[in-house]
Amino acid sequence: MPLKSRDLAIQAAKAALQKKALDVTILDLSGLTVIADYFVICSGESTTQVKAVAEFLEQEFAKKRIRPLGIEGAAHSHWILLDYGDVIIHVFEKETRAYYNLEKLWMDAKVVEIDEDKIDMAGKDKRAIHP
């Protein structure tokens, strides 16, 4: 059974946090655009970390037989976009994220809160994710 968009977004956020991505945010875009239902936005300290987070996300979803429709930006790794249809994942280098500021661009979107303090970096699900 395919994952619902919200579940896919939450799993993406969890996987990004396992790779120590920073400022992981889920934006609920449903009703605002036809582009996607959710954006998952996160940052890395360097292009190396950005690439590692994006590759990890792709590998984790591939294990579940979920393949991206497209991947952009992997060559330079300042902003990698993984397109999973209704869920688009943006992995930014910190400075690039600040420059593009997608959260401000989509300020009407609801934010799905993630309690990062309750995550076990070993991947165990000890976090609370709130609607």
Side-chain angles (χ1 to χ4, degrees), residues 61-105:
F61 286 140
K63 290 177 188 175
K64 298 172 184 167
R65 300 182 192 272
I66 302 170
R67 306 268 184 235
L69 300 174
I71 298 175
E72 298 292 332
H76 300 289
S77 300
H78 293 285
W79 176 4
I80 299 178
L81 182 146
L82 300 128
D83 182 354
Y84 286 94
D86 290 339
V87 177
I88 298 176
I89 304 166
H90 302 269
V91 186
F92 285 101
E93 187 178 30
K94 279 175 40 173
E95 294 79 19
T96 306
R97 181 176 181 174
Y99 180 80
Y100 286 101
N101 199 356
L102 291 184
E103 291 92 341
K104 185 176 180 184
L105 180 66

Side-chain angles (χ1 to χ4, degrees):
M1 175 181 217
L3 287 174
K4 293 181 180 179
S5 301
R6 180 182 173 86
D7 295 332
L8 186 67
I10 290 169
Q11 286 189 17
K14 289 179 181 182
L17 287 166
Q18 285 181 36
K19 279 305 210 184
K20 301 189 184 204
L22 306 171
D23 301 321
V24 179
T25 303
I26 301 173
L27 298 181
D28 181 349
L29 302 174
S30 52
L32 296 176
T33 183
V34 296
I35 296 171
D37 290 339
Y38 293 91
F39 276 179
V40 178
I41 305 168
C42 62
S43 304
E45 296 274 1
S46 65
T47 56
T48 303
Q49 186 183 15
V50 167
K51 188 171 183 136
V53 169
E55 287 174 353
F56 183 71
L57 286 163
E58 187 180 5
Q59 290 167 2
E60 288 299 298
F61 286 140
K63 290 177 188 175
K64 298 172 184 167
R65 300 182 192 272
I66 302 170
R67 306 268 184 235
L69 300 174
I71 298 175
E72 298 292 332
H76 300 289
S77 300
H78 293 285
W79 176 4
I80 299 178
L81 182 146
L82 300 128
D83 182 354
Y84 286 94
D86 290 339
V87 177
I88 298 176
I89 304 166
H90 302 269
V91 186
F92 285 101
E93 187 178 30
K94 279 175 40 173
E95 294 79 19
T96 306
R97 181 176 181 174
Y99 180 80
Y100 286 101
N101 199 356
L102 291 184
E103 291 92 341
K104 185 176 180 184
L105 180 66
W106 292 100
M107 71 171 97
D108 292 338
K110 296 177 206 151
V111 176
V112 178
E113 293 293 327
I114 304 168
D115 189 350
E116 294 181 38
D117 295 332
K118 294 186 179 179
I119 188 164
D120 175 358
M121 290 301 177
K124 295 178 185 157
D125 190 5
K126 292 187 177 178
R127 297 187 306 116
I129 297 181
H130 310 283

